[in-house]
Amino acid sequence: VKSATRCLAELSGEPLPPEEDSSERETSAEETTSRNTAEASSATATPAFPAKTRNKVKPGLKERVPRDAPAHVAPRVFKTSMATSNIMSQIEHVRNPSHPSPEVFQARVYRPEPTRAPGPPPVAAAPRKTVVLNCANIGCTYVDAMKASGRDMSKFGNNKFDWQGVRAAVKFYEEHGVTPQCVCKSRTATISPVPKDLKACVMVCPIVDGKPDVDDLFTIRLAIKYNCQLVDNDNYRDWRDEGKYLADDAVRSWLQGPAKELKVSYMFDTSGNFIPMIGPPQ
């Protein structure tokens, strides 16, 4: 700090402060040599600074290690105060006017960390695309297709429905990243219980007395809710009539409008693979 003050006084033309007598601080070469020899011998026996104290510097301090210092010697610690930084900045400002003044330098170096405004909330992941499947229609179509292919139908017996057709349709849409929602008639689930591997995506309709095709209505309602494809070979002509029970304007308008593009017919090949007329939603 004293050296910086004298340099600043020389540049500004002010009288220099009196110098201290340096004779007391000067040592002879012999004394320096003997002192270094003593320090080196004591260091080999017991280090003056334990190794564990290295690099433990308090915040706001800087450490410096002499070039010729042994490996066991801990670095000396020098404190850089704000006053020293201001004086050095003032000296640089006098020498070079483009250098920032002490006030600007202090504002840049010691200014508090600016508070940042909270960012926008995380965007929720977009829901996966959905498709609605009518289990009764798909399972019966599968059995008819396998019988028409001339295969051994002994495993089906007298059953007109098989869950393998629903399983093939579910697999097809899941492989294309689409979530299937399967609507099953209550009577179908009673005669042929839902397999364990399909329970997660199959919904059984409630029993409504005198309404045997209630599963068709739930299939339509679900497709209206998600505005998604409806996989069924039934054309739903009776649901477009005003006299059909529970067929309100929403059902009729959807069947006469969006259903023309979202209604998906399908078939099964001779190997039992599910083949839709329209590709899965992209």
Side-chain angles (χ1 to χ4, degrees), residues 4-281:
T5 305
R6 292 180 59 83
C7 184
L8 180 62
E10 292 178 358
L11 295 173
S12 59
E14 297 179 0
L16 300 176
E19 297 184 357
E20 297 181 358
D21 187 8
S22 60
S23 59
E24 298 179 358
R25 294 184 286 103
E26 293 179 355
T27 56
S28 62
E30 296 178 356
E31 293 178 357
T32 303
T33 304
S34 61
R35 187 191 312 166
N36 294 340
T37 304
E39 290 179 357
S41 60
S42 61
T44 54
T46 302
F49 298 91
K52 63 179 181 179
T53 61
R54 292 180 62 86
N55 299 330
K56 288 189 176 181
V57 183
K58 295 181 178 181
L61 304 180
K62 295 182 178 180
E63 60 179 9
R64 300 177 185 176
V65 181
R67 294 181 180 178
D68 55 346
H72 65 271
V73 177
R76 295 187 234 169
V77 176
F78 296 87
K79 183 176 181 180
T80 304
S81 63
M82 185 183 298
T84 304
S85 301
N86 290 342
I87 294 175
M88 298 303 298
S89 178
Q90 188 173 358
I91 294 173
E92 292 295 333
H93 183 65
V94 173
R95 292 179 177 177
N96 185 9
S98 62
H99 190 274
S101 61
E103 293 78 9
V104 176
F105 178 80
Q106 183 176 350
R108 291 181 181 178
V109 176
Y110 297 98
R111 63 185 176 185
E113 186 70 19
T115 57
R116 298 181 178 180
V123 180
R128 295 185 63 183
K129 294 179 175 59
T130 305
V131 62
V132 178
L133 310 179
N134 190 300
C135 293
N137 187 271
I138 295 175
C140 293
T141 303
Y142 173 79
V143 174
D144 293 341
M146 294 299 99
K147 289 181 179 180
S149 64
R151 291 192 172 191
D152 182 13
M153 295 292 103
S154 58
K155 64 176 182 179
F156 295 111
N158 295 327
N159 295 332
K160 297 182 179 180
F161 173 87
D162 192 271
W163 283 106
Q164 183 58 32
V166 180
R167 187 177 288 107
V170 169
K171 179 182 178 182
F172 173 82
Y173 284 105
E174 286 183 345
E175 289 178 349
H176 289 80
V178 182
T179 302
Q181 299 200 40
C182 309
V183 179
C184 181
K185 189 182 298 186
S186 178
R187 178 174 174 79
T188 302
T190 302
I191 298 175
S192 181
V194 181
K196 292 183 179 180
D197 60 324
L198 295 177
K199 285 185 176 181
C201 60
V202 173
M203 297 164 289
V204 180
C205 298
I207 299 175
V208 180
D209 295 338
K211 307 296 187 290
D213 54 353
V214 69
D215 60 319
D216 292 345
L217 181 59
F218 279 109
T219 302
I220 297 172
R221 295 287 188 188
L222 200 60
I224 293 175
K225 176 178 176 59
Y226 290 98
N227 191 29
C228 64
Q229 291 183 353
L230 186 155
V231 181
D232 196 337
N233 281 341
D234 190 354
N235 291 321
Y236 298 101
R237 293 189 182 94
D238 52 342
W239 291 98
R240 302 176 188 177
D241 300 335
E242 295 184 1
K244 186 70 174 179
Y245 63 93
L246 300 178
D248 53 13
D249 294 338
V251 172
R252 286 190 293 269
S253 61
W254 188 83
L255 291 173
Q256 295 173 5
K260 295 180 180 179
E261 297 181 359
L262 297 176
K263 172 70 171 54
V264 180
S265 299
Y266 64 93
M267 62 174 292
F268 290 93
D269 62 9
T270 56
S271 299
N273 297 315
F274 175 79
I275 310 296
M277 185 180 66
I278 303 175

